[in-house]
Coordinates of all heavy atoms in Angstrom, one line a residue:
M1437 N -26.7 -14.2 27.8 CA -25.5 -14.2 27.0 C -24.3 -13.9 27.8 O -24.4 -13.4 28.9 CB -25.6 -13.3 25.8 CG -26.8 -13.6 24.9 SD -26.5 -13.4 23.1 CE -25.0 -14.2 22.7
N1438 N -23.2 -14.1 27.3 CA -21.9 -13.9 28.0 C -21.6 -12.4 28.0 O -21.9 -11.6 27.1 CB -20.8 -14.6 27.2 CG -19.6 -14.7 28.0 OD1 -19.4 -14.1 29.1 ND2 -18.6 -15.4 27.5
I1439 N -21.1 -11.9 29.2 CA -20.8 -10.5 29.3 C -19.7 -10.1 28.4 O -19.7 -8.9 27.9 CB -20.4 -10.2 30.8 CG1 -20.2 -8.7 31.0 CG2 -19.1 -10.9 31.2 CD1 -21.5 -8.0 31.1
L1440 N -18.8 -11.0 28.0 CA -17.7 -10.6 27.0 C -18.3 -10.3 25.7 O -17.8 -9.4 24.9 CB -16.7 -11.8 26.9 CG -15.8 -12.0 28.1 CD1 -14.9 -13.1 27.8 CD2 -15.0 -10.7 28.3
Y1441 N -19.4 -10.9 25.3 CA -20.1 -10.6 24.0 C -20.6 -9.2 24.0 O -20.4 -8.4 23.0 CB -21.2 -11.6 23.8 CG -22.0 -11.3 22.5 CD1 -21.4 -11.5 21.3 CD2 -23.2 -10.7 22.6 CE1 -22.1 -11.2 20.1 CE2 -23.9 -10.4 21.4 CZ -23.4 -10.6 20.2 OH -24.1 -10.3 19.1
Y1442 N -21.2 -8.7 25.1 CA -21.7 -7.4 25.2 C -20.6 -6.3 25.2 O -20.7 -5.3 24.6 CB -22.6 -7.2 26.5 CG -23.9 -8.0 26.4 CD1 -24.1 -9.0 27.2 CD2 -24.8 -7.7 25.4 CE1 -25.3 -9.7 27.1 CE2 -26.0 -8.4 25.2 CZ -26.2 -9.4 26.1 OH -27.4 -10.1 26.0
I1443 N -19.5 -6.7 25.9 CA -18.3 -5.8 25.8 C -17.8 -5.7 24.4 O -17.4 -4.6 23.9 CB -17.2 -6.3 26.8 CG1 -17.7 -6.1 28.2 CG2 -15.9 -5.5 26.6 CD1 -16.8 -6.8 29.3
Y1444 N -17.7 -6.8 23.7 CA -17.2 -6.9 22.3 C -18.1 -6.0 21.4 O -17.7 -5.2 20.7 CB -17.2 -8.3 21.8 CG -17.0 -8.4 20.3 CD1 -15.7 -8.2 19.8 CD2 -18.1 -8.7 19.5 CE1 -15.6 -8.3 18.4 CE2 -17.9 -8.8 18.1 CZ -16.6 -8.6 17.6 OH -16.4 -8.7 16.3
R1445 N -19.4 -6.2 21.6 CA -20.4 -5.4 20.7 C -20.3 -3.9 21.0 O -20.4 -3.1 20.1 CB -21.8 -5.9 20.9 CG -22.1 -7.3 20.4 CD -21.8 -7.5 19.0 NE -22.7 -6.6 18.2 CZ -22.5 -6.2 17.0 NH1 -21.4 -6.7 16.3 NH2 -23.2 -5.4 16.3
T1446 N -20.1 -3.5 22.3 CA -19.9 -2.1 22.7 C -18.7 -1.5 22.0 O -18.7 -0.4 21.5 CB -19.9 -2.0 24.2 OG1 -21.1 -2.6 24.7 CG2 -19.8 -0.5 24.6
L1447 N -17.6 -2.3 22.1 CA -16.4 -1.8 21.4 C -16.5 -1.7 19.9 O -16.0 -0.7 19.3 CB -15.2 -2.7 21.8 CG -14.7 -2.7 23.3 CD1 -13.7 -3.7 23.5 CD2 -14.2 -1.3 23.6
V1448 N -17.2 -2.6 19.3 CA -17.4 -2.6 17.9 C -18.3 -1.4 17.5 O -18.0 -0.6 16.5 CB -18.0 -3.9 17.3 CG1 -18.5 -3.7 15.9 CG2 -17.0 -5.0 17.4
L1449 N -19.3 -1.1 18.3 CA -20.2 0.1 18.1 C -19.4 1.3 18.2 O -19.5 2.3 17.4 CB -21.3 0.0 19.0 CG -22.3 1.2 19.0 CD1 -23.0 1.2 17.6 CD2 -23.3 1.2 20.1
F1450 N -18.5 1.4 19.2 CA -17.7 2.6 19.5 C -16.8 2.8 18.3 O -16.6 4.0 17.8 CB -16.9 2.4 20.8 CG -15.9 3.5 21.0 CD1 -16.4 4.8 21.4 CD2 -14.5 3.4 20.9 CE1 -15.5 5.8 21.7 CE2 -13.7 4.4 21.1 CZ -14.1 5.6 21.5
L1451 N -16.1 1.8 17.8 CA -15.2 1.9 16.6 C -16.0 2.3 15.3 O -15.5 3.0 14.5 CB -14.4 0.6 16.4 CG -13.4 0.3 17.5 CD1 -12.7 -1.0 17.2 CD2 -12.4 1.4 17.5
N1452 N -17.2 1.8 15.2 CA -18.1 2.2 14.0 C -18.4 3.7 14.1 O -18.4 4.4 13.1 CB -19.3 1.4 14.0 CG -19.1 0.0 13.5 OD1 -18.1 -0.3 12.8 ND2 -20.0 -1.0 13.9
V1453 N -18.7 4.2 15.3 CA -19.0 5.6 15.5 C -17.8 6.4 15.1 O -17.9 7.5 14.5 CB -19.6 5.9 16.9 CG1 -19.6 7.4 17.1 CG2 -20.9 5.2 17.0
L1454 N -16.6 6.0 15.6 CA -15.4 6.7 15.2 C -15.1 6.7 13.7 O -14.7 7.7 13.2 CB -14.2 6.1 16.0 CG -14.1 6.4 17.4 CD1 -12.8 5.7 18.0 CD2 -13.9 7.9 17.6
D1455 N -15.4 5.6 13.1 CA -15.3 5.5 11.6 C -16.2 6.6 10.9 O -15.8 7.3 10.0 CB -15.7 4.1 11.1 CG -14.5 3.2 11.1 OD1 -13.4 3.6 11.4 OD2 -14.8 2.0 10.8
L1456 N -17.4 6.6 11.4 CA -18.4 7.6 10.8 C -17.9 9.0 11.1 O -18.0 9.9 10.2 CB -19.8 7.4 11.3 CG -20.5 6.2 10.8 CD1 -21.8 6.0 11.6 CD2 -20.7 6.2 9.3
A1457 N -17.4 9.3 12.3 CA -16.9 10.6 12.6 C -15.7 11.0 11.7 O -15.6 12.1 11.2 CB -16.5 10.7 14.1
L1458 N -14.8 10.0 11.5 CA -13.6 10.3 10.6 C -14.1 10.5 9.2 O -13.5 11.4 8.5 CB -12.7 9.1 10.7 CG -11.8 9.1 11.9 CD1 -11.1 7.8 12.1 CD2 -10.8 10.2 12.0
V1459 N -15.0 9.8 8.7 CA -15.5 10.0 7.3 C -16.2 11.4 7.2 O -16.0 12.1 6.2 CB -16.4 8.9 6.9 CG1 -17.2 9.2 5.6 CG2 -15.7 7.6 6.8
A1460 N -17.0 11.7 8.2 CA -17.6 13.1 8.2 C -16.5 14.2 8.2 O -16.7 15.2 7.5 CB -18.6 13.2 9.3
Y1461 N -15.5 14.0 9.0 CA -14.4 14.9 9.1 C -13.7 15.1 7.7 O -13.4 16.2 7.3 CB -13.4 14.4 10.1 CG -12.2 15.3 10.3 CD1 -12.2 16.5 11.0 CD2 -11.0 15.0 9.7 CE1 -11.1 17.3 11.1 CE2 -9.8 15.7 9.8 CZ -9.9 16.9 10.6 OH -8.8 17.7 10.7
I1462 N -13.5 13.9 7.0 CA -12.9 14.0 5.7 C -13.8 14.8 4.7 O -13.3 15.6 4.0 CB -12.7 12.5 5.2 CG1 -11.6 11.8 5.9 CG2 -12.3 12.6 3.7 CD1 -11.5 10.3 5.6
I1463 N -15.1 14.5 4.7 CA -16.0 15.2 3.8 C -16.0 16.7 4.1 O -16.0 17.5 3.2 CB -17.4 14.5 3.9 CG1 -17.3 13.1 3.3 CG2 -18.4 15.4 3.1 CD1 -18.5 12.3 3.5
L1464 N -16.1 17.0 5.4 CA -16.2 18.5 5.7 C -14.9 19.2 5.4 O -14.9 20.4 5.2 CB -16.6 18.6 7.2 CG -18.0 18.4 7.6 CD1 -18.2 18.6 9.0 CD2 -19.0 19.2 6.8
S1465 N -13.8 18.5 5.5 CA -12.5 19.1 5.2 C -12.4 19.5 3.7 O -11.5 20.4 3.4 CB -11.3 18.2 5.6 OG -11.2 17.1 4.8
W1466 N -13.1 19.0 2.9 CA -13.1 19.3 1.4 C -13.8 20.6 1.2 O -13.5 21.2 0.1 CB -13.7 18.2 0.6 CG -12.9 17.0 0.5 CD1 -11.6 16.8 0.8 CD2 -13.4 15.7 0.2 NE1 -11.3 15.5 0.6 CE2 -12.4 14.8 0.2 CE3 -14.7 15.2 -0.2 CZ2 -12.5 13.4 -0.1 CZ3 -14.8 13.9 -0.5 CH2 -13.7 13.0 -0.5
F1467 N -14.7 21.1 2.0 CA -15.4 22.3 1.8 C -14.8 23.4 2.6 O -14.7 23.3 3.9 CB -16.9 22.1 2.1 CG -17.5 21.1 1.3 CD1 -17.8 19.8 1.8 CD2 -17.9 21.3 0.0 CE1 -18.4 18.8 1.0 CE2 -18.5 20.4 -0.8 CZ -18.7 19.1 -0.3
P1468 N -14.5 24.6 2.0 CA -13.9 25.7 2.8 C -14.9 26.2 3.9 O -16.1 26.5 3.6 CB -13.7 26.7 1.8 CG -13.9 26.1 0.4 CD -14.6 24.9 0.6
G1469 N -14.4 26.3 5.1 CA -15.2 26.8 6.2 C -16.1 25.8 6.8 O -16.8 26.2 7.8
A1470 N -16.2 24.6 6.3 CA -17.2 23.7 6.9 C -16.8 23.2 8.2 O -17.6 22.9 9.1 CB -17.4 22.5 5.9
L1471 N -15.5 23.2 8.5 CA -15.0 22.8 9.8 C -15.2 23.9 10.9 O -14.9 23.7 12.0 CB -13.6 22.3 9.8 CG -13.4 20.9 9.1 CD1 -11.9 20.6 9.0 CD2 -14.1 19.8 9.8
R1472 N -15.6 25.1 10.4 CA -15.8 26.2 11.4 C -17.3 26.3 11.8 O -17.7 27.3 12.4 CB -15.3 27.5 10.7 CG -13.8 27.5 10.5 CD -13.4 28.9 10.1 NE -12.0 28.8 9.7 CZ -11.5 28.7 8.4 NH1 -12.4 28.8 7.4 NH2 -10.3 28.7 8.2
T1473 N -18.1 25.3 11.4 CA -19.5 25.3 11.8 C -19.6 24.6 13.2 O -18.6 23.9 13.6 CB -20.3 24.6 10.8 OG1 -19.9 23.2 10.7 CG2 -20.2 25.3 9.4
P1474 N -20.7 24.6 13.8 CA -20.9 23.9 15.1 C -20.6 22.3 14.9 O -20.0 21.7 15.7 CB -22.3 24.1 15.5 CG -22.6 25.5 14.9 CD -21.9 25.5 13.6
L1475 N -21.1 21.8 13.8 CA -20.8 20.4 13.5 C -19.3 20.1 13.3 O -18.8 19.1 13.8 CB -21.6 19.9 12.3 CG -21.3 18.5 11.8 CD1 -21.8 17.5 12.9 CD2 -22.0 18.2 10.5
G1476 N -18.7 21.0 12.6 CA -17.2 20.9 12.4 C -16.5 21.0 13.7 O -15.5 20.2 13.9
Y1477 N -16.8 21.9 14.6 CA -16.1 22.0 15.9 C -16.4 20.7 16.7 O -15.5 20.2 17.4 CB -16.6 23.2 16.7 CG -16.1 24.5 16.1 CD1 -16.9 25.6 15.9 CD2 -14.7 24.7 15.9 CE1 -16.4 26.8 15.4 CE2 -14.2 25.9 15.4 CZ -15.1 26.9 15.1 OH -14.6 28.1 14.6
W1478 N -17.6 20.2 16.7 CA -17.9 19.0 17.4 C -17.1 17.8 16.8 O -16.5 17.0 17.6 CB -19.4 18.7 17.2 CG -19.9 17.5 18.0 CD1 -20.1 17.4 19.3 CD2 -20.3 16.3 17.4 NE1 -20.5 16.1 19.6 CE2 -20.7 15.4 18.4 CE3 -20.3 15.8 16.1 CZ2 -21.1 14.1 18.2 CZ3 -20.7 14.5 15.9 CH2 -21.1 13.7 16.9
L1479 N -17.0 17.7 15.5 CA -16.2 16.6 14.9 C -14.7 16.8 15.3 O -14.0 15.8 15.5 CB -16.3 16.6 13.4 CG -17.6 15.9 12.9 CD1 -17.8 16.1 11.4 CD2 -17.6 14.5 13.2
I1480 N -14.2 18.0 15.2 CA -12.8 18.2 15.6 C -12.5 17.8 17.0 O -11.5 17.2 17.3 CB -12.4 19.7 15.3 CG1 -12.4 20.0 13.9 CG2 -11.1 20.0 16.0 CD1 -12.2 21.4 13.5
R1481 N -13.4 18.0 17.9 CA -13.2 17.6 19.3 C -13.2 16.1 19.5 O -12.5 15.6 20.3 CB -14.3 18.2 20.2 CG -14.2 19.7 20.4 CD -15.2 20.2 21.4 NE -15.0 19.4 22.6 CZ -15.3 19.9 23.8 NH1 -15.8 21.1 23.9 NH2 -15.2 19.2 24.9
I1482 N -13.9 15.4 18.6 CA -13.9 14.0 18.7 C -12.7 13.4 18.0 O -12.1 12.4 18.5 CB -15.2 13.4 18.1 CG1 -16.4 13.8 18.9 CG2 -15.2 11.9 17.9 CD1 -17.7 13.4 18.3
V1483 N -12.4 13.9 16.8 CA -11.4 13.3 15.9 C -10.0 13.7 16.3 O -9.1 12.9 16.1 CB -11.7 13.6 14.5 CG1 -10.7 13.2 13.5 CG2 -13.1 13.0 14.1
S1484 N -9.7 14.9 16.7 CA -8.4 15.3 16.9 C -7.6 14.5 18.0 O -6.4 14.3 17.7 CB -8.3 16.8 17.2 OG -8.9 17.1 18.5
P1485 N -8.1 14.1 19.1 CA -7.3 13.2 20.0 C -6.9 11.9 19.3 O -5.8 11.4 19.7 CB -8.2 13.0 21.2 CG -9.2 14.0 21.1 CD -9.4 14.4 19.7
I1486 N -7.6 11.4 18.4 CA -7.3 10.2 17.7 C -6.2 10.5 16.6 O -5.3 9.7 16.5 CB -8.5 9.5 17.1 CG1 -9.5 9.2 18.1 CG2 -8.2 8.3 16.3 CD1 -10.9 9.0 17.6
L1487 N -6.3 11.6 15.9 CA -5.4 11.9 14.9 C -4.1 12.5 15.4 O -3.0 12.3 14.7 CB -6.0 12.9 13.9 CG -7.2 12.4 13.1 CD1 -7.8 13.6 12.3 CD2 -6.8 11.3 12.2
R1488 N -4.1 13.1 16.5 CA -2.9 13.8 17.0 C -1.6 12.9 17.1 O -0.6 13.4 16.7 CB -3.2 14.4 18.4 CG -2.1 15.4 18.8 CD -2.5 16.2 20.1 NE -3.7 16.9 19.9 CZ -4.8 16.8 20.7 NH1 -4.8 16.0 21.7 NH2 -5.9 17.5 20.5
P1489 N -1.7 11.7 17.6 CA -0.5 10.9 17.6 C 0.1 10.5 16.2 O 1.3 10.2 16.1 CB -0.9 9.6 18.4 CG -2.1 9.9 19.1 CD -2.8 11.0 18.3
F1490 N -0.8 10.5 15.2 CA -0.3 10.2 13.9 C 0.1 11.3 13.0 O 0.6 11.1 11.9 CB -1.5 9.4 13.2 CG -1.9 8.1 13.8 CD1 -2.9 8.1 14.8 CD2 -1.2 7.0 13.5 CE1 -3.2 6.9 15.4 CE2 -1.5 5.8 14.1 CZ -2.5 5.7 15.1
R1491 N -0.1 12.6 13.5 CA 0.3 13.8 12.7 C 1.8 13.9 12.5 O 2.2 14.5 11.6 CB -0.3 15.0 13.4 CG -1.8 15.2 13.4 CD -2.2 15.6 12.0 NE -3.7 15.8 12.0 CZ -4.4 15.8 10.9 NH1 -3.8 15.6 9.8 NH2 -5.7 16.0 11.0
N1492 N 2.6 13.3 13.4 CA 4.0 13.4 13.3 C 4.6 12.4 12.3 O 5.8 12.5 12.0 CB 4.7 13.3 14.7 CG 4.3 14.4 15.6 OD1 4.1 15.5 15.2 ND2 4.3 14.1 16.9
L1493 N 3.8 11.4 11.9 CA 4.3 10.5 10.9 C 4.4 11.1 9.5 O 3.6 12.0 9.2 CB 3.4 9.3 10.9 CG 3.3 8.5 12.2 CD1 2.2 7.4 12.0 CD2 4.6 7.9 12.6
P1494 N 5.3 10.7 8.7 CA 5.4 11.3 7.4 C 4.3 10.7 6.4 O 4.6 9.9 5.5 CB 6.8 10.9 6.9 CG 7.1 9.6 7.7 CD 6.4 9.7 9.0
L1495 N 3.1 11.1 6.6 CA 2.0 10.7 5.8 C 1.4 11.7 4.9 O 0.3 11.6 4.4 CB 0.9 10.1 6.7 CG 1.2 8.9 7.6 CD1 0.1 8.6 8.6 CD2 1.5 7.7 6.7
Q1496 N 2.2 12.8 4.7 CA 1.8 13.8 3.8 C 2.6 13.7 2.5 O 3.7 14.0 2.4 CB 2.0 15.2 4.4 CG 1.1 15.5 5.6 CD 1.7 15.0 6.8 OE1 2.9 14.7 6.9 NE2 0.8 14.8 7.8
F1497 N 1.9 13.2 1.4 CA 2.6 13.1 0.1 C 1.5 13.2 -1.0 O 0.3 13.0 -0.7 CB 3.4 11.8 0.0 CG 2.8 10.6 0.4 CD1 2.1 9.8 -0.5 CD2 2.9 10.1 1.7 CE1 1.4 8.6 -0.1 CE2 2.3 9.0 2.1 CZ 1.6 8.2 1.2
F1498 N 1.9 13.5 -2.2 CA 1.0 13.7 -3.3 C 0.1 14.9 -3.0 O -1.0 14.9 -3.6 CB 0.3 12.5 -3.7 CG 1.1 11.3 -4.2 CD1 1.0 10.1 -3.6 CD2 2.0 11.5 -5.2 CE1 1.7 9.0 -4.0 CE2 2.7 10.4 -5.6 CZ 2.6 9.2 -5.0
G1499 N 0.5 15.8 -2.2 CA -0.3 17.0 -1.9 C -1.5 16.7 -1.0 O -2.3 17.6 -0.8
L1500 N -1.6 15.5 -0.4 CA -2.7 15.2 0.5 C -2.1 14.7 1.8 O -1.0 14.2 1.9 CB -3.5 14.1 -0.1 CG -4.2 14.4 -1.4 CD1 -4.9 13.1 -2.0 CD2 -5.3 15.5 -1.2
D1501 N -2.9 14.8 2.8 CA -2.6 14.3 4.2 C -3.3 13.0 4.3 O -4.6 12.9 4.4 CB -3.1 15.3 5.2 CG -2.7 14.9 6.6 OD1 -1.9 13.9 6.8 OD2 -3.2 15.5 7.6
W1502 N -2.6 11.9 4.4 CA -3.1 10.6 4.4 C -3.3 10.1 5.9 O -3.6 8.9 6.1 CB -2.2 9.6 3.6 CG -2.2 10.0 2.2 CD1 -1.3 10.8 1.6 CD2 -3.1 9.5 1.2 NE1 -1.6 10.9 0.2 CE2 -2.7 10.1 0.0 CE3 -4.2 8.7 1.2 CZ2 -3.4 9.9 -1.2 CZ3 -4.8 8.4 0.0 CH2 -4.4 9.0 -1.2
T1503 N -3.1 10.9 6.8 CA -3.2 10.6 8.2 C -4.6 10.0 8.6 O -4.7 8.9 9.2 CB -2.9 11.8 9.1 OG1 -1.7 12.3 8.8 CG2 -2.9 11.4 10.6
V1504 N -5.6 10.6 8.1 CA -7.0 10.1 8.4 C -7.2 8.8 7.8 O -7.8 7.9 8.5 CB -8.0 11.1 7.9 CG1 -9.4 10.7 8.2 CG2 -7.8 12.5 8.5
F1505 N -6.7 8.5 6.6 CA -6.9 7.2 6.0 C -6.1 6.1 6.7 O -6.6 5.0 6.8 CB -6.5 7.3 4.5 CG -7.4 8.2 3.7 CD1 -6.9 9.4 3.3 CD2 -8.7 7.8 3.4 CE1 -7.7 10.3 2.6 CE2 -9.5 8.6 2.7 CZ -9.0 9.9 2.2
A1506 N -4.9 6.5 7.2 CA -4.1 5.5 8.0 C -4.9 5.2 9.3 O -4.9 4.0 9.7 CB -2.8 6.1 8.3
V1507 N -5.5 6.2 9.9 CA -6.2 5.9 11.2 C -7.5 5.1 10.9 O -7.8 4.2 11.6 CB -6.6 7.3 11.9 CG1 -7.5 7.0 13.0 CG2 -5.3 7.9 12.4
L1508 N -8.1 5.4 9.8 CA -9.3 4.6 9.4 C -8.9 3.1 9.1 O -9.6 2.2 9.6 CB -9.9 5.1 8.1 CG -11.0 6.2 8.3 CD1 -11.4 6.8 6.9 CD2 -12.2 5.7 9.0
F1509 N -7.8 2.9 8.5 CA -7.3 1.6 8.2 C -7.0 0.9 9.5 O -7.3 -0.3 9.7 CB -6.1 1.6 7.3 CG -5.4 0.3 7.1 CD1 -6.0 -0.6 6.2 CD2 -4.3 0.0 7.7 CE1 -5.4 -1.8 6.0 CE2 -3.7 -1.3 7.5 CZ -4.3 -2.2 6.6
L1510 N -6.3 1.6 10.4 CA -5.9 1.0 11.7 C -7.2 0.6 12.6 O -7.3 -0.4 13.2 CB -5.0 1.9 12.5 CG -4.5 1.4 13.8 CD1 -3.6 0.3 13.5 CD2 -3.7 2.5 14.5
L1511 N -8.2 1.5 12.6 CA -9.4 1.2 13.3 C -10.1 0.1 12.8 O -10.7 -0.8 13.5 CB -10.3 2.5 13.4 CG -9.9 3.6 14.2 CD1 -10.8 4.8 14.1 CD2 -9.7 3.2 15.7
N1512 N -10.2 0.0 11.4 CA -10.9 -1.2 10.8 C -10.1 -2.5 11.1 O -10.7 -3.5 11.2 CB -11.1 -0.9 9.3 CG -12.1 0.1 9.1 OD1 -13.2 0.1 9.7 ND2 -11.9 0.9 8.0
L1513 N -8.8 -2.4 11.1 CA -8.0 -3.6 11.4 C -8.2 -4.0 12.8 O -8.4 -5.2 13.0 CB -6.5 -3.2 11.2 CG -5.5 -4.3 11.3 CD1 -5.5 -5.2 10.1 CD2 -4.1 -3.7 11.5
I1514 N -8.3 -3.1 13.7 CA -8.6 -3.5 15.1 C -10.0 -4.1 15.2 O -10.2 -5.1 15.9 CB -8.4 -2.2 16.0 CG1 -7.0 -1.8 16.1 CG2 -9.0 -2.5 17.4 CD1 -6.7 -0.5 16.8
R1515 N -11.0 -3.4 14.6 CA -12.4 -3.9 14.7 C -12.5 -5.3 14.1 O -13.2 -6.1 14.6 CB -13.3 -2.9 14.0 CG -14.8 -3.3 14.2 CD -15.7 -2.4 13.4 NE -15.4 -2.7 12.0 CZ -15.4 -1.7 11.0 NH1 -15.8 -0.5 11.3 NH2 -15.2 -2.0 9.8
D1516 N -11.9 -5.5 12.9 CA -12.2 -6.7 12.1 C -11.3 -7.9 12.5 O -11.7 -9.0 12.3 CB -12.1 -6.5 10.7 CG -13.1 -5.5 10.2 OD1 -14.2 -5.3 10.8 OD2 -12.9 -4.9 9.1
Y1517 N -10.1 -7.6 13.0 CA -9.2 -8.7 13.3 C -8.7 -8.8 14.7 O -8.7 -9.9 15.3 CB -8.0 -8.6 12.4 CG -8.3 -8.7 10.9 CD1 -8.3 -7.6 10.1 CD2 -8.7 -10.0 10.4 CE1 -8.7 -7.7 8.8 CE2 -9.1 -10.1 9.1 CZ -9.0 -9.0 8.3 OH -9.4 -9.1 6.9
V1518 N -8.4 -7.7 15.4 CA -7.8 -7.8 16.7 C -8.9 -8.1 17.7 O -8.7 -9.0 18.6 CB -7.1 -6.5 17.1 CG1 -6.6 -6.5 18.5 CG2 -5.9 -6.3 16.1
L1519 N -10.0 -7.4 17.7 CA -11.1 -7.6 18.7 C -11.7 -9.0 18.6 O -11.8 -9.7 19.6 CB -12.2 -6.6 18.6 CG -11.9 -5.2 19.1 CD1 -13.1 -4.3 18.9 CD2 -11.5 -5.3 20.6
P1520 N -12.0 -9.6 17.4 CA -12.5 -11.0 17.4 C -11.4 -11.9 17.9 O -11.8 -12.9 18.6 CB -12.8 -11.2 15.9 CG -13.0 -9.9 15.3 CD -12.2 -8.9 16.1
A1521 N -10.1 -11.7 17.6 CA -9.1 -12.6 18.1 C -9.0 -12.5 19.6 O -8.8 -13.5 20.3 CB -7.8 -12.2 17.5
L1522 N -9.2 -11.4 20.2 CA -9.1 -11.2 21.7 C -10.3 -11.8 22.4 O -10.2 -12.5 23.4 CB -9.0 -9.7 22.1 CG -7.7 -9.1 21.8 CD1 -7.8 -7.6 22.1 CD2 -6.6 -9.7 22.6
F1523 N -11.5 -11.7 21.8 CA -12.7 -12.1 22.5 C -13.2 -13.5 22.1 O -13.9 -14.1 22.9 CB -13.9 -11.1 22.2 CG -13.8 -9.8 23.0 CD1 -13.1 -8.7 22.5 CD2 -14.3 -9.7 24.2 CE1 -13.0 -7.5 23.2 CE2 -14.2 -8.6 25.0 CZ -13.6 -7.5 24.5
F1524 N -12.9 -14.0 21.0 CA -13.4 -15.3 20.5 C -12.3 -16.3 20.2 O -12.6 -17.3 19.6 CB -14.3 -15.1 19.3 CG -15.4 -14.1 19.6 CD1 -15.5 -12.9 18.8 CD2 -16.4 -14.4 20.5 CE1 -16.6 -12.1 19.1 CE2 -17.4 -13.5 20.8 CZ -17.5 -12.3 20.1
A1525 N -11.1 -16.0 20.7 CA -10.0 -17.0 20.4 C -10.1 -18.2 21.3 O -9.5 -19.2 21.1 CB -8.6 -16.3 20.5
W1526 N -10.7 -18.1 22.4 CA -10.8 -19.2 23.4 C -12.0 -20.0 23.1 O -12.6 -20.8 23.1 CB -10.9 -18.6 24.8 CG -11.8 -17.4 25.0 CD1 -11.5 -16.1 24.9 CD2 -13.2 -17.4 25.2 NE1 -12.5 -15.3 25.0 CE2 -13.6 -16.1 25.3 CE3 -14.1 -18.4 25.4 CZ2 -14.9 -15.8 25.5 CZ3 -15.4 -18.1 25.7 CH2 -15.8 -16.7 25.7

């Protein structure tokens, strides 16, 4: 098979893992003290570099922080539309 296909599949797998990490971060953030566990610290180390550039955007309204949902939307947009256009447009 083509090497570009394997690169594409690796990037899609990486974005899927990031999606799962973000969803786990969302779920743990609902429970008090859950982010202070070893799993919580591990998730924070993975997720915070991705969320940090978006924290300055005005995405806090209705009493919720919508930053994680915006990042999830952006990652899914990249995975579903941008990557296939880059790798399979030719």
Side-chain angles (χ1 to χ4, degrees):
M1437 297 218 51
N1438 193 354
I1439 188 74
L1440 288 177
Y1441 176 75
Y1442 292 117
I1443 294 171
Y1444 169 77
R1445 293 301 301 162
T1446 303
L1447 290 173
V1448 167
L1449 178 65
F1450 176 72
L1451 291 175
N1452 285 337
V1453 169
L1454 283 178
D1455 274 351
L1456 288 175
L1458 284 167
V1459 169
Y1461 178 80
I1462 291 169
I1463 292 171
L1464 286 180
S1465 70
W1466 289 341
F1467 299 104
L1471 289 175
R1472 292 187 190 102
T1473 63
L1475 175 64
Y1477 287 129
W1478 182 75
L1479 281 173
I1480 289 171
R1481 288 185 57 150
I1482 291 173
V1483 171
S1484 65
I1486 299 163
L1487 293 177
R1488 193 173 300 126
F1490 296 92
R1491 290 286 184 199
N1492 294 331
L1493 297 175
L1495 296 172
Q1496 294 83 20
F1497 48 90
F1498 298 123
L1500 296 173
D1501 184 11
W1502 296 90
T1503 306
V1504 180
F1505 295 105
V1507 172
L1508 273 173
F1509 176 76
L1510 185 64
L1511 288 177
N1512 287 323
L1513 185 76
I1514 291 170
R1515 184 190 63 214
D1516 295 339
Y1517 296 107
V1518 175
L1519 284 181
L1522 287 175
F1523 282 92
F1524 303 118
W1526 41 271

